[in-house]
Structures are given as C-alpha cells and as structure tokens.
Amino acid sequence: VQLVESGGGLVQAGGSLRLSCEASGIIVAEYGIGWFRQAPGKEREGVSYISLRDGITHYADSVQGRFTVSADTAENAVYLQLNSLKPEDTAVYYCPAEFPFVPSKVWAHPTEYDYWGQGTQVTVSS
C-alpha cells in the first residue's frame, strides 16, 4: 500500500490549495480515507474524512466551510480543497487509509488508520 500526498506549498492568507492523495495497492472506493495535519510541537489533528462506500464525509470544526474533500475513482485518488487559508492551517498534511471504514465517532483519531503517506507541507503566510 502506498499513499502519496502532493499539492502543498507556500500561500498567503486567504489563498487556496488543492491537495492530492494518490493511492496504490488499495482501491480508495473501498476504504475510509482521512486527512490529518500536524504542526510543529502539536498533536496530529483530524481535518476531514471520506468514505465512498458509505457516502459519508466529516470535517473538523476548524475547517468546516473552508475545506472540501472529494474523490476520483478513475484516478484512485482523494483530494482536499483548501480555501480561505489561515496561518494556523500551516502544517504537514497526511491522507491515511483504513479498510473498510472508520466509525464516524472516531474518524479524527489517528490510531484508527493503518496506512499513512509521507505528507505534504502547507505553509500559510500572514
């Protein structure tokens, strides 16, 4: 299993980025896929979650209305659109996967996921 995050970069506050999570060795439509982030000195934080088999998405309160998760089964990839970015969104972003899904009440718990990528850095300047 390989999960490769990309699309991070340096952006000014108020800007946008689109993160990609390309999967190999799994079929994203059969897994629960999360988006997490970790800032220096802070714990890993659940940002969003998608399960295509259940038609479910979740968002952290801190990103609700600004971030949007989606998936493309043809590309076997999951995406996270980041809009209205703030300096506090600065972190390394990861897209972990778990078969076949993560229960809704624990989607933001990093220990629920077995497979992790290397992450992509997002830096938002003020």
Side-chain angles (χ1 to χ4, degrees):
V1 176
Q2 189 173 21
L3 299 163
V4 179
E5 301 92 340
S6 63
L10 174 63
V11 64
Q12 289 187 333
S16 299
L17 286 172
R18 187 188 191 216
L19 306 184
S20 299
C21 172
E22 298 181 359
S24 58
I26 66 168
I27 299 173
V28 297
E30 299 177 354
Y31 280 67
I33 309 292
W35 280 99
F36 283 71
R37 65 186 181 187
Q38 189 165 21
K42 295 189 177 181
E43 293 186 353
R44 197 161 290 191
E45 172 192 19
V47 174
S48 185
Y49 170 87
I50 185 168
S51 169
L52 291 178
R53 67 187 294 275
D54 298 324
I56 291 174
T57 59
H58 296 298
Y59 296 94
D61 289 345
S62 59
V63 306
Q64 181 76 47
R66 299 189 298 122
F67 292 6
T68 303
V69 65
S70 63
D72 185 330
T73 55
E75 296 294 326
N76 203 38
V78 175
Y79 306 97
L80 188 67
Q81 178 69 39
L82 286 60
N83 295 331
S84 301
L85 281 161
K86 305 175 181 180
E88 52 263 44
D89 294 320
T90 295
V92 178
Y93 284 69
Y94 303 88
C95 65
E98 176 66 15
F99 181 82
F101 64 92
V102 178
S104 289
K105 63 181 179 180
V106 292
W107 72 266
H109 294 197
T111 56
E112 295 294 321
Y113 299 82
D114 280 338
Y115 305 107
W116 290 79
Q118 294 301 306
T120 185
Q121 175 72 47
V122 172
T123 303
V124 185
S125 63
S126 57

